Every structure is written in structure tokens, then in C-alpha cells.
Amino acid sequence: MASLNHELFGEISYDLYWSGKQKVKIFGQERIVILSIDGNEEGEFQDAQKEAYINFVGNMENMITKIENAIFDYYQEVYMEYRDMVGEDEADRIAPIIENKEEMGKLVEPTQLTIRRVRKNGIRRIGLLFNCTWEIEHGLAVKIEDEEIVEVGFQDIVL
């Protein structure tokens, strides 16, 4: 497995994609997540990927606030459906009724920040992946394009 100390991404290693570590503070909790970067074995990355990462990290507090709000809004749209699916006994554990976004920290855990390759359209793409209590199989993801949140849903929206 190849590894390098990249000037921007830090210590990363290659195994089909480059991975390292990234500190993220979300829902009041500081976490270390996997930093996953699409790139070739030589450790060459697109300028737009670097730019996406710089813009995200440089404005992380503001971006995280937007992500928290987007996740909370998404949860408000879907939680009743999950409560109905699991039944009364499991509902409060899997998809509890919550009043504010701060309570989301008990339901979601960030696992990965992914920096995707830029396609011909030139759009910078980042995904933030989470485990969550209500969707164990598909997880949760926030898709970010050109520093704007464009979608919240299953992890496959960014994978």
C-alpha cells in the first residue's frame, strides 16, 4: 500500500483510493472521520479537488452549520415513516421525535469526508457520510457541489 505526506491532505495511503483522517465538529461533538480522495496511484489530484477541500476546510464552521440544518430538515421529513415501519416499541430508539438539531448528535455519527473527482462539468463535489439510527443499511449522506448542499439522502448519492 502506497502512502505519502501530502502538502494539503496530510498523511494519506492508497488502496483503490487515497485515505487519511479529518477532524470534524458536528452537532457539538468533535470526531475524526476518514478522509477519502479519488486520485491515481501516484498521488496526483485535480486542482478542483484541492480547491473543494480548501474551500470546505477554510469555511468548515459555516458549512457544518448548513449541513446540520439540512440533516435536521431531512430527518423531520422522514422520521415518521421510519417510526411507522418499526412499530411503537422501537420507534423512540430508532427514530425519536426531536425538537431541535442539537438532538441529532444522538442519532447520527459522521464517518467519512469524500472528495470526488471532478467530471467534465467542472463541478467540485464533496460528500459527508454518516451512520444513523434510522437507516442502518443505507446510511446517510450530504452531497455538496461547489460549496452548496444539493442533496441529503442515502449514502449512494455520493458513493
Side-chain angles (χ1 to χ4, degrees):
M1 181 184 317
S3 61
L4 64 94
N5 188 357
H6 191 270
E7 71 274 1
L8 181 60
F9 302 122
E11 286 291 327
I12 55 176
S13 57
Y14 184 81
D15 187 12
L16 301 178
Y17 59 89
W18 287 94
S19 63
K21 294 182 180 356
Q22 178 66 49
K23 191 183 303 184
V24 176
K25 185 175 182 182
I26 189 161
F27 298 117
Q29 301 172 22
E30 199 166 275
R31 303 286 180 137
I32 303 293
V33 301
I34 296 167
L35 173 61
S36 168
I37 314 121
D38 287 341
N40 64 25
E41 286 185 59
E42 288 75 43
E44 297 168 344
F45 304 100
Q46 296 169 320
D47 289 341
Q49 285 177 292
K50 295 175 190 175
E51 190 178 324
Y53 181 75
I54 289 167
N55 292 345
F56 182 82
V57 172
N59 194 21
M60 190 178 294
E61 194 172 318
N62 184 39
M63 286 299 303
I64 293 295
T65 297
K66 289 179 182 179
I67 290 167
E68 289 172 340
N69 291 336
I71 290 172
F72 179 72
D73 292 346
Y74 174 81
Y75 183 75
Q76 294 303 309
E77 292 173 16
V78 302
Y79 82 95
M80 285 305 291
E81 184 179 328
Y82 285 95
R83 288 179 68 82
D84 292 343
M85 279 193 284
V86 298
E88 203 173 312
D89 294 341
E90 290 288 304
D92 286 338
R93 186 176 65 79
I94 292 180
I97 299 167
I98 62 172
E99 303 294 322
N100 57 61
K101 72 178 184 177
E102 287 73 25
E103 295 176 275
M104 290 300 307
K106 296 179 243 169
L107 307 178
V108 300
E109 177 184 355
T111 59
Q112 185 171 335
L113 177 66
T114 180
I115 314 295
R116 304 303 308 240
R117 278 196 172 103
V118 177
R119 297 186 182 136
K120 290 182 181 176
N121 61 14
I123 294 173
R124 295 180 299 279
R125 302 179 303 143
I126 288 182
L128 191 55
L129 282 64
F130 298 82
N131 289 331
C132 63
T133 59
W134 68 91
E135 186 53 71
I136 294 169
E137 186 176 335
H138 299 108
L140 178 70
V142 177
K143 184 178 185 179
I144 302 162
E145 294 182 344
D146 290 340
E147 295 76 49
E148 295 296 325
I149 296 168
V150 294
E151 190 174 359
V152 177
F154 297 153
Q155 289 183 358
D156 64 351
I157 64 172
V158 297
L159 295 176

